[in-house]
Amino acid sequence: MRQRRPPSLKPARLTPGDILRAGSAGMRSRPTRVILSALGIALGIATMVAVVGISASSKQQLLNELDKLGTNMLVVSPGTDLATGKSTPLATDAHGRVARIDGVEHVGATGVLAHSVRRSEKIPDIVTGGIAVQAASEDLLTALRGSLRAGTWLNAATGKYPSVVLGDVAAQRLGVTTAGQQVYIDGQYATVIGILDELPLAPEIARSALLGWEAAERILDFDGRPTKIYERSTDAKVDRVHALIPRAVDPETPHNVSVSDPSAGLQAKAATEGAFNGLLLGLGAVALLVGGVGVANTMIISVLERRYEIGLRRAIGATRGQIRGQFVTESLLLSGLGGIVGALLGAAVTWVYALSSHIPWVVPLWAVGGGFAATLVIGSIAGLYPAVRASRLSPTLALHAA
């Protein structure tokens, strides 16, 4: 009679839901340890997200400012004669020559005057407050894309009389808060008809008292030579205009004309924003690794404490792969929890910084996604050794030791 073979044993099947429940069981039973272990991961991710978010928010603020101010303004000023080493003054019609260049849309000019402005005649001449007196053309405000905080700008009528528009810094230093007040220039009073808003691309205007071109020539003996010319061109022709200006202003010696781009500093700052965040990102990565070590330590202790559970599951048919899956899942859940908390914390820190600094709140999705992916990788690595160790436990020895 043929002997019947015993039926082959088939390993128990676990669905993803079963593995998830088994992996989360250890976390639910030890909430304090879970919180402390996830804290290291959370701090690392929060640091990395906050660093990237603050950098991105600051850069967005610079880009918004550049969009508002424009990158198509050039400033023309006297250059230095190579033979004499002295500054070469611009011609009286220099701003008219610039205006005739193809692509130029707006041109404004200023001319520095050898006078000081004071609040009254009772203040000594030497107390200037660092405020310059300048002649200004009527279209200067348009070329600068400036705005008035109070009052009106110089026009054909007010530009003939002792009327003054103050830059925001000049108004503050003189104690002038509204239009209609008076300041003292070269032995006579002039009426303040306007106060400018901040001009980031022209800080020299912010520290100036501006008179009309005609009034400066008639009252203050201005020679009519502009000290600086501000021009706006179309974006597509900025480089071409930059190359043509020296030859248009001084055809014989174009090298004596200096042309600069005042927005270059902001553009360079926006381009390099975040370049010095590597150190902070490195610190965040170190914190993340320390958090991973904490997760690995927690998982090893969990394996030692749950030997009876592991032995019992192995005795009733759980495979080594299922045991490994349980503990790797638990490690991923632990790291994922820290990653989610860290990402939210980093975003919150960025929001508080943006709100207090009055800048846009920007948190790049790649920073959040990359940080969370890093937590999962670290969680997998941290849980791999404890999971392998748990799967190799002998059911008999595990139950006997327990």
Side-chain angles (χ1 to χ4, degrees), residues 358-369:
H358 306 287
I359 61 176
W361 177 46
V362 178
V363 178
L365 291 178
W366 65 263
V368 177

Side-chain angles (χ1 to χ4, degrees), residues 218-238:
R218 182 171 55 86
I219 301 172
L220 300 178
D221 298 325
F222 176 47
D223 61 5
R225 289 181 178 271
T227 306
K228 285 190 177 181
I229 300 171
Y230 304 84
E231 72 82 28
R232 290 275 183 181
S233 55
T234 58
D235 292 330
K237 295 185 177 181
V238 172

